Amino acid sequence: QVDHTVVVRKRHVSELVVDLEHAGFAIDEVARGLRKTTVAFHRTDCTDLESANRFVNQICDIAEQHHGEYDGWGAFVVQG
């Protein structure tokens, strides 16, 4: 599971969430602030360079469509 965060203005939250869910992400939390809202979400993805570049670009595109900012991703490392 790869965790992500986007910060967006309140008025764009609903549309952002719909687009993230349409892209296969599960919403974990929507934390509303005075002017901006932080949306935490996740999806199961590989974290090799090519895969990471792909999901980062996808999320950045979605965030930018809603005037938001991608705050990054994180994941636990599992060794086999």
Side-chain angles (χ1 to χ4, degrees):
Q1 172 176 307
V2 183
D3 301 313
H4 307 273
T5 307
V6 168
V7 178
V8 65
R9 290 184 180 202
K10 284 183 176 183
R11 65 179 174 226
H12 300 290
V13 172
S14 297
E15 296 87 0
L16 172 73
V17 166
V18 167
D19 285 351
L20 289 170
E21 289 177 332
H22 186 262
F25 294 98
I27 306 304
D28 297 315
E29 181 181 16
V30 176
R32 300 179 188 277
L34 290 176
R35 294 187 179 171
K36 295 198 175 187
T37 298
T38 301
V39 180
F41 53 99
H42 72 274
R43 183 173 74 184
T44 300
D45 282 300
C46 294
T47 56
D48 60 274
L49 184 59
E50 184 178 326
S51 298
N53 283 335
R54 192 176 318 113
F55 66 66
V56 166
N57 288 334
Q58 180 183 27
I59 296 166
C60 284
D61 288 345
I62 293 170
E64 288 173 7
Q65 289 172 17
H66 301 288
H67 309 283
E69 296 178 19
Y70 182 45
D71 195 39
W73 63 275
F76 288 105
V77 176
V78 178
Q79 296 181 353

